[in-house]
Amino acid sequence: MAALLLAGLCVPLAACVSTSRATAIALDDAKPQYATSDCKAAIKATEVHEDLYIGRLIITPLIAVLTAGAAAPLLLGGNVALDTADRVDASTLSETCGGPAKSAGEIASDVVTNAALGAAAPPPARRLMARPVVRDWPRASRGRCSVEAPARRRSRALL
């Protein structure tokens, strides 16, 4: 039983990334803005969202089970707030590093969609359906999990 629980926690963690990290991975390092210190700092800042994302993957189902669903509204609200911050920062990262930024309406739509999917599907399935901010660049990942990551050179700043 313990091995099954451990496998259930490790599989989602091994495959998926936050929206900010997915955006950083999809950045075009040939653009001149990529070499700026502002862009490098924005890429470095994605680590916070990555840590929060991994924490959310572990804590949300755990609290939901321990409280028998009574904490669902609080979990949903907390996850919506963290998802919004992640997507806003991903859009800022994309714009800072020479890519397209998302409008507030697009971000809100993505957050609402993710929240609705979060209420209906477990985290790994939800992450397979979501898209990163940078979707117009060539070979950009359509999903947020590494199984769908672009077959291009990874950003040197992330290695």
Side-chain angles (χ1 to χ4, degrees), residues 92-143:
T92 303
L93 167 69
S94 179
E95 186 175 30
T96 301
C97 296
K102 278 193 165 186
S103 69
E106 290 174 311
I107 292 171
S109 173
D110 288 348
V111 169
V112 169
T113 301
N114 205 26
L117 290 172
R126 178 172 69 237
R127 297 298 168 214
L128 287 172
M129 294 181 249
R131 293 186 299 227
V133 171
V134 186
R135 60 178 166 227
D136 296 330
W137 285 346
R139 302 163 111 195
S141 171
R142 289 288 181 198

Side-chain angles (χ1 to χ4, degrees), residues 36-109:
T36 65
S37 60
D38 289 342
C39 180
K40 300 287 185 202
I43 291 171
K44 182 81 171 150
T46 64
E47 293 174 8
V48 171
H49 291 293
E50 190 67 13
D51 292 342
L52 288 171
Y53 176 75
I54 291 170
R56 286 168 42 198
L57 278 178
I58 295 170
I59 296 299
T60 299
L62 185 63
I63 292 175
V65 168
L66 291 176
T67 63
L74 294 174
L75 293 172
L76 181 63
N79 280 323
V80 164
L82 291 171
D83 191 30
T84 301
D86 184 22
R87 290 175 187 277
V88 167
D89 286 351
S91 180
T92 303
L93 167 69
S94 179
E95 186 175 30
T96 301
C97 296
K102 278 193 165 186
S103 69
E106 290 174 311
I107 292 171
S109 173

Side-chain angles (χ1 to χ4, degrees), residues 10-19 21-22 25 49-50 53-54 57 123-129 143-148:
C10 291
V11 169
L13 296 179
C16 300
V17 297
S18 67
T19 304
R21 181 55 59 104
I25 290 169
H49 291 293
E50 190 67 13
Y53 176 75
I54 291 170
L57 278 178
R126 178 172 69 237
R127 297 298 168 214
L128 287 172
M129 294 181 249
R144 292 170 61 191
C145 294
S146 62
V147 293
E148 298 182 68

